[in-house]
Amino acid sequence: MQRLTNKRIILGITGGIAAYKSAELVRLYKKAGADVRVVMTAAAMEFITPLTLQALSGNMVHSSLLDPEAEAGMGHIELARWADILVVAPATADFIARLHSGMANDLLTTLCLATNAPIYVAPAMNQAMWRAPQTQHNVAQLTQQIPKTTFWGPDAGEQACGDIGPGRMMEAQAIANLTANTFSKKLLCGKTVHITAGPTREALDPVRYISNHSSGKMGYAIASAAQEAGAKVKLISGPVNLPCPDKVSRVMVESAEQMLEAVLSELDQCDIFIGCAAVADFKPSSIATNKIKKGADHTMSLLLVKNPDIIARVAQQPNKPFTVGFAAETQNLLEHARAKLSSKNLDLIAANDVGNSEIGFNSDANALTLISAHQQLDLAQTSKTRLAQQLIEHIAHLMP
Ligand code: C5P
């Protein structure tokens, strides 16, 4: 639903009993961060009060084409231009007929004619009215001849009048999901993205390990953003407390060696590799078979050896994917990031100031500077979810 953030939605409500579901739809849109303006027909106001929808949307409800006060606020042409999308739910048989005939005899039909935004229509009516040849004709003509018009539903089932059949308005949640889907840009359609995320654990003995504070939130947000952008996504994750994002395939690993093995195993299918994991730089030179006992000594020494550099190994491959790394630094951020971009043979690096306690490791917010060979882009502090979307958009633009 994050795709609805700041989206401008006109919700048209016409006069049907399903109008009570529109209140829930407004609530879902608002919860997802959309800006909603409700437009009601006169008949809709017989079913649900404008006051309810005004309270839920936080905006004045529009209903009249001829109200000088409302027109002075946001006139119908301005409203038509303002919208990113126009959803009519519920849409009655009468409204569909008027839409089909190109009438502009109330504010809602006028907006439908005047807007360049796509129009989505969720019908709601008695099953016989839906099946009527006139309604079917109007729906078919609108679908075939007016490309900006799409129908959502109706669902079939028990109706308010007691009939059973097609004509129920889709549930508010389903309409909200479909609305969100219309905004997915699908920038990475057809691409396969592999992402490492979270920390690694380097075992000392059967009960102890060396690790770090990485929460995995940034990598998981990137996996979601890549999936929403249409990519096939594989997440190679160290131990974290996060659920696997929807429609993402996940491989859980513990150590850097296991992460490397999982990364290399399907690398030939990968178009974009994003190394977001906080891989432990070193691991104990050997893992004790039994729990290490404390002796009489006050000190204890550990011999550590370097872990493989996973992302550098990826970027060494002859047909390397577009490779994106992260540089988490506490000082000389950009300088160190640029050095890593070239030493690891990366295409892009996201520099991340982990010295700032408001952002970084365990926080939900972050800020990044994206550096490629000839470009530098600052992404201001925001949620990891939004940053992940911006990163994916930038990667899509840089892809050859
Ligand atoms: O060298 P440094 O750890 O700062 O580099 C960070 C980048 O390299 C991140 O993208 C991280 O996921 C990746 N990396 C890796 N394998 C390592 C160390 C870091 O893939 N052993």
Side-chain angles (χ1 to χ4, degrees):
M1 293 292 277
Q2 64 212 26
R3 279 161 286 170
L4 288 182
T5 310
N6 297 329
K7 292 296 181 291
R8 298 190 288 200
I9 304 174
I10 290 181
L11 175 63
I13 306 179
T14 69
I17 183 64
Y20 77 92
K21 293 187 189 172
S22 311
E24 174 65 0
L25 183 55
V26 174
R27 197 188 66 78
L28 292 170
Y29 282 156
K30 287 297 289 179
K31 197 172 150 209
D35 191 355
V36 187
R37 293 207 166 244
V38 174
V39 176
M40 300 178 81
T41 61
M45 289 189 282
E46 301 290 331
F47 288 90
I48 183 168
T49 70
L51 193 60
T52 305
L53 298 155
Q54 179 179 314
L56 287 169
S57 69
N59 284 319
M60 197 191 84
V61 169
H62 305 256
S63 56
S64 172
L65 193 53
L66 304 171
D67 176 352
E69 203 182 314
E71 282 291 296
M74 198 192 261
H76 62 280
I77 297 297
E78 210 180 335
L79 196 53
R81 287 186 185 141
W82 171 88
D84 293 321
I85 185 172
L86 204 154
V87 177
V88 185
T92 58
D94 173 70
F95 168 78
I96 293 170
R98 290 189 292 122
L99 184 65
H100 170 249
S101 65
M103 288 177 83
N105 57 348
D106 64 7
L107 179 60
L108 186 56
T109 45
T110 304
L111 288 173
C112 289
L113 278 186
T115 192
N116 285 326
I119 300 171
Y120 293 88
V121 181
M125 66 196 74
N126 164 270
Q127 53 84 23
M129 292 171 75
W130 171 252
R131 287 190 171 115
Q134 299 94 317
T135 305
Q136 289 302 309
H137 170 80
N138 291 338
V139 171
Q141 294 265 303
L142 278 165
T143 308
Q144 285 157 22
Q145 292 174 5
I146 316 290
K148 70 175 180 181
T149 310
T150 306
F151 281 81
W152 284 340
D155 284 346
E158 205 176 311
Q159 301 204 300
C161 55
D163 280 4
I164 294 178
R168 282 170 59 93
M169 187 172 102
M170 289 178 102
E171 292 305 323
Q173 184 67 63
I175 296 176
N177 292 346
L178 286 169
T179 309
N181 286 347
T182 67
F183 289 104
S184 58
K185 285 199 198 136
K186 308 288 182 208
L187 284 171
L188 295 183
C189 205
K191 302 283 185 214
T192 298
V193 182
H194 291 181
I195 301 164
T196 64
T200 63
R201 280 183 187 168
E202 310 300 334
L204 279 166
D205 66 17
V207 294
R208 301 185 182 97
Y209 56 80
I210 300 171
S211 190
N212 58 63
H213 289 296
S214 170
S215 63
K217 285 177 185 167
M218 192 69 226
Y220 275 57
I222 294 169
S224 290
Q227 191 282 322
E228 287 185 0
K232 183 174 168 207
V233 181
K234 178 170 161 187
L235 185 57
I236 301 118
S237 172
V240 293
N241 264 326
L242 298 171
C244 182
D246 263 2
K247 297 179 195 152
V248 165
S249 103
R250 179 169 71 165
V251 181
M252 296 299 292
V253 297
E254 294 241 330
S255 67
E257 287 289 353
Q258 289 169 356
M259 189 173 270
L260 176 68
E261 195 185 323
V263 163
L264 294 181
S265 75
E266 288 177 26
L267 198 60
D268 52 338
Q269 295 155 31
C270 168
D271 301 302
I272 300 168
F273 179 86
I274 305 175
C276 198
V279 183
D281 289 328
F282 289 92
K283 63 179 174 183
S285 61
S286 63
I287 305 174
T289 327
N290 294 307
K291 186 180 169 194
I292 302 166
K293 305 299 287 176
K294 56 177 172 292
D297 289 353
H298 283 287
T299 59
M300 178 191 169
S301 300
L302 278 176
L303 183 61
L304 301 175
V305 294
K306 246 199 176 140
N307 258 329
D309 191 318
I310 299 170
I311 204 164
R313 290 280 292 275
V314 168
Q316 272 164 17
Q317 307 295 313
N319 278 329
K320 78 169 178 107
F322 186 91
T323 311
V324 182
F326 272 74
E329 305 290 342
T330 53
Q331 53 184 354
N332 301 335
L333 178 65
L334 301 184
E335 203 180 301
H336 283 130
R338 264 188 216 101
K340 277 177 199 170
L341 180 74
S342 98
S343 69
K344 295 187 189 229
N345 194 27
L346 308 180
D347 297 292
L348 179 72
I349 194 152
N352 187 185
D353 181 0
V354 285
N356 179 348
S357 60
E358 277 180 42
I359 58 177
F361 269 174
N362 249 313
S363 140
D364 287 324
N366 204 352
L368 296 173
T369 301
L370 306 183
I371 305 169
S372 51
H374 306 294
Q375 266 188 51
Q376 183 171 318
L377 177 69
D378 286 319
L379 302 181
Q381 182 172 334
T382 180
S383 68
K384 286 184 174 172
T385 304
R386 180 67 200 123
L387 266 185
Q389 291 166 344
Q390 291 173 303
L391 173 64
I392 289 295
E393 280 163 25
H394 192 63
I395 292 171
H397 288 133
L398 290 178
M399 284 284 291

